């Protein structure tokens, strides 16, 4: 697989049609107090399509792209906005949006239907500086905590968490560094992210072999879709999502090698925390690890887990409650955050195959799948051709055998002898002189 990345050869999109990143699309929609159903109604698409746009699985094109960018900039038109007051007017987007659109993270202007907190947060955010090429493969900086502050979520309770400070955002072409071949960029991403991802997958599953297998599978998948990963704004997040999905698949319970977790750690604190994590359902476990362990904010956690922001907040509250009941010293959210952050930041000790071996395994698997599909197609074609050649040209129905209907014997021959008939026939055949004695000829 030697295809080159298309991130550096394609001209950047114009400012008028520059799409924000998937996580920023979700944040802008929530800042405008719009639901997915309302956006789908305005755009003339389904709710599933809007969800796919916000998770990065697809992107609008053509006129829908322009309409979607305009909707995220200024909100819906007054006639199409649901329950919009007649006095509220939508102002034109400021120059800061035009400057940030090319970086993939536009900042909307505060309008009449924007919540005060979201408007203040957007106004206080400083302009983002473009990331240097050597910083593109580095992970996002850890959220700086300025004391626990409530994170308000519509329709759910407040979640105590740190108020993150704005940090440098990666450019859309996160791994498309000029001068690097796709193989070199993949090797750099693998060397940077794979050890930490193995450690995180172990915290989610409690199985070391499964965690290594999940990370290797995720990088196989990333190399197969490298043109998409190379231009992604967060390539580490792309691979992390694939590794988490594979590691938390319920089908691994049917495999004998991964049926039971590994032996717990010897340290009592680590053993108690790992047991509390494994006692949670998989979505709750993943949510608390992303939010409290990796330091993602609530919208990013919800987007990566493919859940709404209120659902992610409720999962986080429930996970903290369960962990606090099982480990009393971690009942405080700040203590849990510090413990999980320390646990995630530990130096991993997993031994992994080289990046070249992972790329070769991905290419071999792709070739095997291609050959299997071609072989199955050829067999199907041969079977179809053989069936068409040997099939009869017309249908001749078979003559059904005769049957007795209401005691009427079958025409065309004697009936089959029953048991009594057979006994009578054998008795008559066994007697030498069945007739009267007077008819038997006398010897002369």
């Amino acid at each position: 697989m030697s295809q080159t990345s298309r991130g550096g050869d394609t001209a950047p999109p114009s400012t008028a049609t520059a799409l924000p990143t998937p996580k920023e699309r979700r944040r802008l929609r929530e800042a405008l107090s719009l639901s997915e159903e309302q956006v789908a109604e305005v755009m003339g698409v389904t709710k599933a399509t809007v969800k796919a746009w916000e998770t990065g699985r697809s992107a609008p094109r053509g006129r829908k792209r322009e309409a979607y960018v305009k909707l995220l900039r200024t909100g819906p038109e007054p006639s199409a906005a649901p329950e919009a007051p007649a006095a509220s007017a939508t102002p034109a987007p400021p120059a800061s949006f035009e400057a940030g659109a090319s970086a993939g993270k536009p900042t909307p202007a505060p309008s009449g239907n924007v919540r005060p907190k979201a408007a203040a947060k957007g106004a206080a955010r400083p302009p983002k500086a473009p990331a240097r090429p050597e910083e593109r493969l580095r992970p996002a900086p850890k959220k700086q905590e300025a004391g626990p502050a409530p994170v308000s979520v519509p329709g759910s309770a407040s979640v105590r968490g740190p108020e993150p400070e704005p940090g440098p955002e990666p450019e859309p072409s996160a791994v498309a560094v000029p001068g690097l071949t796709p193989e070199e960029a993949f090797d750099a991403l693998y060397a940077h992210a794979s050890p930490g991802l193995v450690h995180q997958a172990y915290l989610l599953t409690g199985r070391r072999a499964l965690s290594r297998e999940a990370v290797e599978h995720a990088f196989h998948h990333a190399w197969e879709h490298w043109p998409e990963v190379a231009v992604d704004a967060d390539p580490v997040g792309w691979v992390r999502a694939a590794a988490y999905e594979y590691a938390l698949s319920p089908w691994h319970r049917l495999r004998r090698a991964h049926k039971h977790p590994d032996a717990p750690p010897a340290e009592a604190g680590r053993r108690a925390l790992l047991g509390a994590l494994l006692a949670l359902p998989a979505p709750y476990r993943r949510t608390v690890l992303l939010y409290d362990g990796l330091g993602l904010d609530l919208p990013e956690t919800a987007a990566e887990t493919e859940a709404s922001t209120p659902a992610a907040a409720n999962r986080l509250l429930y996970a903290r409650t369960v962990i606090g009941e099982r480990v009393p010293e971690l009942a405080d959210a700040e203590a849990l955050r510090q413990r999980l952050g320390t646990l995630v930041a530990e130096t991993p000790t997993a031994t992994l195959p080289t990046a070249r071996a992972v790329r070769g395994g991905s290419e071999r698997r792709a070739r095997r799948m291609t050959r299997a599909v071609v072989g199955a197609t050829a067999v199907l074609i041969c079977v179809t051709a053989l069936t068409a050649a040997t099939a009869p040209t017309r249908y001749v129905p078979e003559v059904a055998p005769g049957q007795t209907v209401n005691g009427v014997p079958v025409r065309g021959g004697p009936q089959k002898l029953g048991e009594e008939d057979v006994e009578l026939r054998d008795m008559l055949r066994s007697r030498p002189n069945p007739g009267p004695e007077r008819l038997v000829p006398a010897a002369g």
Side-chain angles (χ1 to χ4, degrees):
M1 182 174 180
S2 60
Q3 50 186 343
T4 57
S5 172
R6 291 171 291 186
D9 301 336
T10 305
S14 62
T15 306
T17 59
L19 273 175
T21 60
K23 296 178 182 178
E24 187 68 11
R25 300 169 199 171
R26 183 192 189 98
R27 190 190 68 79
L28 290 175
R29 175 180 61 79
E30 293 179 351
L32 293 172
S33 300
L34 295 176
S35 63
E36 295 177 351
E37 292 83 356
Q38 293 171 342
V39 175
E41 183 179 357
V42 173
M43 295 298 301
V45 296
T46 61
K47 178 182 176 181
T49 303
V50 177
K51 184 179 290 293
W53 291 349
E54 293 184 354
T55 54
R57 294 182 176 178
S58 64
R61 298 180 180 179
R63 296 183 178 179
K64 285 192 180 297
R65 182 189 183 99
E66 298 177 1
Y68 187 55
V69 172
K70 183 178 179 181
L71 177 66
L72 295 180
R73 288 183 182 181
T74 61
E77 298 295 333
S79 58
E83 301 181 2
S88 63
T90 305
S96 59
F97 183 94
E98 304 294 337
S102 60
K105 290 270 187 174
T107 303
S111 59
N113 54 355
V114 179
R115 292 177 293 180
K117 182 176 180 180
K121 184 176 179 182
R125 178 173 296 178
K128 305 178 182 63
R132 295 191 300 270
E134 61 271 13
E135 296 179 351
R136 292 176 182 173
L137 287 178
R138 296 179 183 175
K142 191 72 175 178
K143 308 294 182 181
Q144 300 293 332
E145 300 183 1
V151 181
S152 301
V153 181
S156 66
S158 297
V159 179
R160 303 290 297 182
E163 188 69 24
E165 295 181 1
E169 298 288 344
E171 295 183 0
S173 56
V175 293
V177 182
L180 288 182
T181 63
E183 290 79 8
E184 294 173 348
F186 176 85
D187 295 353
L189 177 64
Y190 180 80
H192 168 72
S194 58
L197 289 179
V198 172
H199 187 55
Q200 298 168 27
Y202 170 70
L203 297 178
L204 286 177
T205 61
R207 297 164 175 83
R208 294 179 177 83
L210 178 59
S211 62
R212 291 191 294 268
E213 181 181 333
V215 173
E216 189 173 352
H217 172 83
F219 276 98
H220 283 170
H221 194 59
W223 182 242
E224 293 174 2
H225 300 79
W226 186 246
E228 175 187 347
V229 181
V231 297
D232 194 272
D234 186 13
V236 178
W238 196 100
V239 180
R240 179 179 62 229
Y244 283 11
E245 289 290 341
Y246 184 87
L248 296 176
S249 175
W251 295 105
H252 296 306
R253 301 174 185 174
L254 304 178
R255 303 172 59 185
R256 180 176 299 179
H258 306 313
K259 190 174 183 180
H260 301 288
D262 298 345
E267 184 182 348
R270 294 167 59 91
R271 181 171 62 251
L273 179 55
L274 184 59
L277 285 175
L278 296 180
L280 293 170
Y284 297 80
R285 201 184 317 159
R286 183 176 180 180
T287 300
V288 72
L289 181 63
L290 290 174
Y291 188 82
D292 286 334
L294 298 180
L296 301 184
D297 58 12
L298 206 56
E300 291 176 346
T301 303
E304 186 159 333
T305 56
E306 297 186 359
S308 62
T309 304
N314 292 331
R315 289 176 180 178
L316 183 61
L317 289 173
Y318 177 79
R320 287 177 173 178
T321 302
V322 172
I323 295 177
E325 292 176 355
R326 297 177 66 94
V327 188
E329 60 268 20
L330 298 181
D332 183 25
E334 184 66 24
L336 175 62
R337 186 181 305 111
Q338 293 180 359
R339 179 74 67 85
L340 274 178
T342 304
L343 197 60
V344 170
E346 288 181 351
T347 303
T349 58
T351 56
L352 294 172
T354 61
R356 182 176 181 180
V358 173
R359 286 190 283 105
S362 176
E363 294 171 359
R364 285 192 299 270
R365 187 176 67 171
R367 286 195 295 267
R368 286 197 300 266
M369 291 296 296
T370 303
R371 292 170 183 172
V373 171
V374 171
T377 305
V379 170
L380 183 61
I381 292 175
C382 294
V383 170
T384 304
L386 180 63
T387 304
T390 58
T393 56
R394 61 172 185 166
Y395 176 71
V396 179
E398 298 181 358
V399 179
Q403 297 180 359
T404 302
V405 180
N406 295 332
V408 179
V410 180
R411 294 190 305 172
Q415 297 182 2
K416 184 178 180 181
L417 298 178
E419 294 181 0
E420 297 180 356
D421 300 333
V422 172
E423 292 178 359
L424 179 59
R425 184 191 61 183
D426 295 341
M427 183 186 65
L428 293 176
R429 288 180 177 178
S430 62
R431 292 182 180 182
N433 300 316
E437 293 185 7
R438 61 184 180 86
L439 297 179
V440 175

